[in-house]
Amino acid sequence: MAGVPHFDNSYIGLPKQFYERLEPNRVAAPRLIQINDVLAEELGLDKNFLRSPAGLDMLSGCAMPPGAEPIAQAYAGHQFGEFVHQLGDGRAMLLGEVVDRNGIRRDLQLKGSGRTPFSRRGDGRAALGSVLREYLVSEAIAALRIPTTRSLAAVATGEQVIRETLLPGAVLTRAAASHIRVGTFEYFAARRDIEAVRLLADYVIARHYPHIRFESETYRALLGAVAERQGALIARWLAVGFIHGVMNTDNMSVAGELLDYGPCAFLDTFDPLAVFSSIDQAGRYAYSNQPSVGAWNLARFSETLLPLLAVAETDQVAIAQQELERYGWRFKMEFQAIFHAKFGFGEVREGDAELVHSFLLAMTENQADFTLTFRRLADSVLGPDDDEPVRSLFINPLDFDRWAAVWRERLAAETRPPMAVREAMRRVNPAFIPRNHRVEAVIKAAIKSSDYRPFEEFSRVLSKPYEDHPAFAKYGDAPAEHERVSATFCGT
Ligand code: AMP
Ligand code: MG
């Protein structure tokens, strides 16, 4: 078979309680919807193979090429605060690992390819809508320079899945640094299998944090390193108005990538308390709660590592607490760096934090559109004559004017010329995000009329979110009142 991926599988070398082996699973009529050629290239995969009958077999889970060793990974997790001791890949199949063009090991995983020993009462399938949603949003997140799992391919199965109604089925092929979650650690810790926790920790260090192998207290260093990556990640979500929606510990990757695109959403008007997920009744995963949920999840992670940190219990807890502090520290650093850049501040000066804070407050009170406001703010750098596009986004434009007067005084201290400040701001404030109403519209066109052109067009625009794309400006617009999406649903 020509062009078969060169699999180099390491997770399967871990003991047998880490996973279940899977058999391929035929689907009725697999049909290719989309291949991500740029990503295929990065992963060192042969595009012609992916488009061949054998490629389609692999991407739909029907038959495996040589070298693939499909498994479902075991994990547990805290879902909305409650511990569930057995979750695991119930609708996902890890095909194996490939080493990409940069020498990084990446998982290739199918989502929606059928039942596994972890499926519980689920059907192991995915609906086309959720596959297209993950494809579009994960690739947009990657283009926004946020670490994330990626989407390699979408395939229709020709079968229907039963949800509230009958929906067309599909399979997503996802690439990830790995699919090891906080919940994977919790799975073994809950079973008091400390040796398995140690093996998993060693595996994660070797794969994701090789630089700490030589530190004297490696498990302690692992905790701190995972905490830092998570802090940096969540700060970046806030900077683009992203709401994950289901930050359970089984959806938190220890590699520091955004994992699981179920009910995620982007803010239109700025509202720190915004929640879109229909299952998040209490607002646990609201936009501005995300930093504290990250800390909560990491505390659960630290608990799984306690026996590896020291002999005495009091020492274990003290070490864990110390390392967990690196989360908040890194979050603050990253938040400051990104938000300062969003306002055109080249270096930190006194009063900057207050300017950021007062602007966010004014945006909230004035129901200003998050993305448009920051994008247009760049034009105001040149002077108040250019303020109208941004100030008109505020219910009371005078609130903007008052704030802008102080902001301009601050900008006067910048050493860079205004044009350079404007350009720098445009490089961090995207014009295009996967707005909820647009995501729904392209999915609807695909499902209702088998029209994938809007999906492809929107994908193309989102792949270059910092450019203006005048011909596609509509994708940057805020939703009209009747277009506004108020609830998103889990990918199940
Ligand atoms: P998620 O909400 O996607 O994070 O999934 C939580 C858990 O439910 C994981 O163990 C999934 O494998 C499982 N799950 C979700 N949907 C399905 C499904 N359709 N069939 C089987 N398992 C599922
Ligand atoms: Mg999940």
Side-chain angles (χ1 to χ4, degrees), residues 70-313:
I71 57 172
Q73 291 174 308
Y75 57 85
H78 277 86
Q79 299 191 309
F80 292 91
E82 298 292 328
F83 186 63
V84 184
H85 81 289
Q86 171 114 12
L87 291 165
D89 289 332
R91 59 170 159 181
M93 175 191 272
L94 180 63
L95 301 177
E97 299 146 35
V98 295
V99 177
D100 74 12
R101 292 252 186 262
N102 303 314
I104 312 266
R105 179 177 295 278
R106 311 272 286 268
D107 277 4
L108 290 186
Q109 191 204 58
L110 304 184
K111 195 168 166 187
S113 56
R115 288 182 54 84
T116 80
F118 300 114
S119 294
R120 295 172 290 164
R121 286 191 296 276
D123 60 1
R125 301 291 180 189
L128 174 60
S130 77
V131 166
L132 294 180
R133 196 178 154 78
E134 173 154 353
Y135 193 114
L136 201 68
V137 182
S138 66
E139 287 307 300
I141 286 282
L144 291 166
R145 300 187 291 255
I146 297 175
T148 176
T149 65
R150 303 287 305 271
S151 295
L152 176 66
V155 169
T157 58
E159 295 177 359
Q160 293 202 304
V161 296
I162 308 166
R163 297 295 180 257
E164 268 135 44
T165 53
L166 284 181
L167 296 169
V171 177
L172 179 80
T173 305
R174 177 154 87 177
S178 83
H179 287 83
I180 303 170
R181 307 137 194 272
V182 168
T184 318
F185 281 83
E186 290 179 292
Y187 180 85
F188 298 110
R191 286 161 179 73
R192 306 256 178 278
D193 189 347
I194 295 167
E195 261 332 288
V197 174
R198 186 190 303 276
L199 277 174
L200 184 62
D202 289 341
Y203 180 88
V204 168
I205 291 167
R207 184 162 172 181
H208 300 304
Y209 302 93
H211 56 282
I212 65 181
R213 252 177 318 177
F214 308 107
E215 296 208 12
S216 56
E217 298 173 75
T218 45
Y219 303 117
R220 172 189 192 142
L222 173 64
L223 175 56
V226 170
E228 281 203 35
R229 274 196 203 168
Q230 217 42 248
L233 178 67
I234 293 172
R236 283 160 173 253
W237 297 357
L238 299 193
V240 294
F242 179 77
I243 305 171
H244 183 290
V246 59
M247 288 176 73
N248 296 332
T249 56
D250 53 301
N251 292 332
M252 185 187 260
S253 157
V254 295
E257 285 184 337
L258 201 177
L259 171 67
D260 203 309
Y261 288 84
C264 64
F266 279 78
L267 291 173
D268 291 306
T269 54
F270 184 60
D271 172 11
L273 301 178
V275 177
F276 290 90
S277 168
S278 57
I279 56 170
D280 190 3
Q281 301 287 338
R284 181 180 172 91
Y285 301 139
Y287 171 82
S288 60
N289 274 357
Q290 296 182 113
S292 57
V293 173
W296 193 89
N297 288 351
L298 287 166
R300 303 292 78 75
F301 178 52
S302 74
E303 286 160 6
T304 71
L305 296 178
L306 287 178
L308 307 183
L309 296 180
V311 180
E313 260 177 48

Side-chain angles (χ1 to χ4, degrees), residues 462-488:
L462 290 171
S463 72
K464 298 211 161 70
Y466 301 98
E467 290 177 14
D468 279 330
H469 305 283
F472 301 108
K474 63 176 187 196
Y475 286 113
D477 292 344
E481 201 51 55
H482 70 279
E483 292 175 316
R484 214 178 274 276
V485 173
S486 58
T488 53

